[in-house]
Amino acid sequence: MEKIQHQTKIKPSIEQIKGYNYINSNDFEDWQYQMRNQVDTLEDLKKYINVTTEEEEGINNTTAKWGTTPYFASLMDPDNPQCPIRKQIVPSKHEQENRYGMENYLVFKENRAEDEDRPDTIARQYEDRIAFTVVNKCGIYCRHCFRKELVVDESLQLRFDVDEGLEWIKNHPELREVLVTGGDPLLLPDEQIEYIIRRLREIPHIEMIRFGSRLPIVLPHRITSGLQKVLGRYHKVPIWLNTQCNHASEITERTAQAVWDLLTCGINVGNQAVLMKGINDDKKSFQELHQKLINIRIRPYYVFYLEPAPGIDHFRTPVEKGAELIRDTLRGHTSGLAQPMYVIATNIGKIPLMPDYYIVDKDTEKYTLRNHRGETTTLPNVSEDGAEGAILH
Ligand SMILES: *Cc1c(COP(=O)(O)O)cnc(C)c1O
Ligand code: SF4
């Protein structure tokens, strides 16, 4: 029988990519080696790409952290400064500019100045779920990070007392879900991840655990059999993992393997992309990203409008852009499973934004609806009373 070919056109294998020449293959497979050898100097970067003078200026001007795993660095296009991966890795001189960003953004966004007494590790916007920040290290220091004050600039210092956070969660029975985040929580050693999961599972009101981690994309080697054992040991409190992939070129055979490994131990994998000018705000990139995600079994969850954190305006699009891209490239145009929700993350929660397009007209009698091809149809407009009436007659 003929072997089934993978449907997606996926990037070359590890052996074929450039960075491989600099690292022995056993080391490349070792996630801790990759973290110890992050590409975070101009000299290192030059092994992967032909650095432009503008990029060099960006690097020399920044005081913020930057850098990435050698694996993710090797996916950059060495000759194209517009490469979407490259723009997420290499500091830009535009980071020194700020027009729409808010100073002390994170304190505002995460309601850290509010009345409720909360440990530093807890960010709260909702009644039944919280974000639990356990670490401020990452596999890549994304240039567009909205938590950059904590992760990249390190101007906001938090006390990462995990036990204090766990105790607080235990004392709040209204919580159903804990979102373990960072930084990147999967950078913790297996034993610490195991500890957090075990302690959370011991809390009777916690019904689900969610991890936010970019590692399946920037360091898929982290999904080791050891980590699979830690994550996959339980089924009563489901674990979901949301990763962040912003462009189809970030997806390799290695990513597909890591996602498969997560799924086979019962972890559901979703994606939260960030809409960024010059990276994924064109129709082709936006559609391709979502199609490829679904092809490697990652379910698109959110696309975020770029948050008003300081120094990231060079990635900013108009607010409506994400809704328009869903309208023009996803809804009706491709699999319904490939549809994320476009949201604006604010200090009062995430606000979904739909394109002002589907409902053409509405009166007391009927709705007029438009589809992705611009065709229209009608539907009776039924009120609560009307619905009862319809059943009676
Ligand atoms: C994003 C976020 C959540 C999760 O929101 P969902 O809509 O459930 O994905 C929870 N708490 C905080 C503080 C958040 O920022
Ligand atoms: S991986 Fe996430 S937290 Fe870390 S820098 Fe990137 S966006 Fe920020």
Side-chain angles (χ1 to χ4, degrees):
M1 259 189 26
E2 227 179 301
K3 239 183 134 192
I4 298 169
Q5 290 290 313
H6 217 288
Q7 293 300 305
T8 33
K9 189 171 149 279
I10 283 183
K11 279 260 174 180
S13 65
I14 301 296
E15 287 74 13
Q16 291 163 292
I17 54 188
K18 200 174 172 225
Y20 183 80
N21 300 333
Y22 302 96
I23 298 171
N24 147 336
S25 64
N26 287 333
D27 288 340
F28 206 93
E29 276 304 306
D30 175 357
W31 74 271
Q32 281 156 322
Y33 178 91
Q34 290 244 359
M35 286 307 295
R36 281 195 303 275
N37 291 277
Q38 277 204 320
V39 179
D40 56 6
T41 63
L42 181 58
E43 195 192 347
D44 276 352
L45 190 66
K46 283 181 173 168
K47 293 179 188 162
Y48 294 85
I49 57 171
N50 299 312
V51 180
T52 64
T53 36
E54 190 171 323
E55 285 172 326
E56 202 160 327
E57 202 184 322
I59 290 166
N60 291 334
N61 281 343
T62 189
T63 53
K65 248 200 271 181
W66 70 277
T68 180
T69 55
Y71 160 78
F72 201 56
S74 69
L75 303 182
M76 287 186 287
D77 183 333
D79 299 314
N80 178 13
Q82 298 308 314
C83 163
I85 297 180
R86 194 158 155 168
K87 286 204 244 177
Q88 294 178 65
I89 293 174
V90 184
S92 158
K93 60 176 186 178
H94 299 299
E95 289 174 26
Q96 314 310 321
E97 299 159 14
N98 190 37
R99 184 161 172 209
Y100 301 104
M102 292 169 59
E103 296 302 331
N104 291 319
Y105 174 66
L106 218 51
V107 170
F108 159 77
K109 155 80 191 303
E110 296 185 344
N111 304 314
R112 290 184 176 274
E114 263 197 14
D115 292 347
E116 190 180 45
D117 193 23
R118 290 192 289 259
D120 278 8
T121 48
I122 308 286
R124 184 169 205 182
Q125 287 184 336
Y126 299 106
E127 178 64 13
D128 78 339
R129 58 207 190 281
I130 49 104
F132 186 26
T133 308
V134 295
V135 65
N136 70 347
K137 292 192 168 42
C138 292
I140 169 186
Y141 294 99
C142 309
R143 302 332 296 165
H144 57 273
C145 179
F146 78 89
R147 309 192 89 193
K148 65 193 294 251
E149 294 153 289
L150 170 69
V151 176
V152 181
D153 303 340
E154 296 182 298
S155 56
L156 178 68
Q157 305 272 337
L158 298 185
R159 214 158 54 88
F160 292 107
D161 186 336
V162 168
D163 284 320
E164 183 196 24
L166 288 166
E167 201 55 32
W168 188 89
I169 292 165
K170 200 163 133 190
N171 292 329
H172 286 262
E174 73 279 13
L175 297 175
R176 297 177 57 250
E177 180 180 357
V178 173
L179 223 148
V180 185
T181 179
D184 204 309
L186 292 193
L187 286 179
L188 294 176
D190 288 358
E191 307 77 60
Q192 283 182 38
I193 295 172
E194 215 255 293
Y195 176 77
I196 292 171
I197 295 173
R198 184 161 47 78
R199 290 285 311 272
L200 285 173
R201 283 177 44 85
E202 283 166 10
I203 302 173
H205 53 268
I206 297 305
E207 296 168 12
M208 57 193 280
I209 299 170
R210 211 195 302 182
F211 280 89
S213 170
R214 234 196 136 167
L215 295 194
I217 303 299
V218 302
L219 186 56
H221 317 71
R222 175 64 185 104
I223 315 304
T224 57
S225 55
L227 184 66
Q228 275 184 280
K229 281 207 191 81
V230 167
L231 295 173
R233 197 167 285 168
Y234 323 100
H235 78 279
K236 287 210 172 133
V237 177
I239 299 179
W240 294 72
L241 187 149
N242 276 342
T243 192
Q244 183 194 143
C245 178
N246 299 317
H247 194 274
S249 61
E250 295 169 35
I251 296 171
T252 69
E253 202 59 72
R254 201 69 189 69
T255 332
Q257 182 65 49
V259 175
W260 170 255
D261 289 343
L262 284 165
L263 291 170
T264 52
C265 65
I267 313 302
N268 303 284
V269 186
N271 189 57
Q272 308 190 155
V274 182
L275 182 64
M276 284 181 281
K277 189 166 79 183
I279 290 185
N280 56 15
D281 70 334
D282 62 287
K283 289 184 185 178
K284 182 167 174 288
S285 300
F286 195 81
Q287 186 180 58
E288 216 172 72
L289 166 65
H290 291 95
Q291 288 173 335
K292 282 203 178 169
L293 283 170
I294 212 82
N295 284 354
I296 62 155
R297 305 181 171 87
I298 298 181
R299 178 82 207 267
Y301 178 57
Y302 282 147
V303 166
F304 285 107
Y305 176 68
L306 192 82
E307 296 188 33
I312 56 175
D313 288 339
H314 52 296
F315 292 122
R316 200 169 297 287
T317 66
V319 174
E320 293 80 7
K321 192 73 182 186
E324 289 168 8
L325 283 164
I326 290 174
R327 176 193 73 197
D328 295 341
T329 74
L330 298 185
R331 175 49 57 197
H333 301 279
T334 194
S335 171
L337 288 168
Q339 316 285 325
M341 181 178 277
Y342 178 51
V343 292
I344 305 168
T346 76
N347 60 315
I348 53 169
K350 296 178 180 74
I351 317 280
L353 198 76
M354 295 285 283
D356 181 12
Y357 175 82
Y358 302 114
I359 300 177
V360 181
D361 195 23
K362 173 192 166 181
D363 57 32
T364 51
E365 296 288 305
K366 64 180 190 306
Y367 279 92
T368 306
L369 306 173
R370 175 156 46 201
N371 74 358
H372 63 288
R373 283 191 293 264
E375 299 155 350
T376 56
T377 187
T378 60
L379 185 78
N381 184 1
V382 181
S383 64
E384 285 286 342
D385 294 346
E388 272 171 37
I391 293 162
L392 288 174
H393 295 116

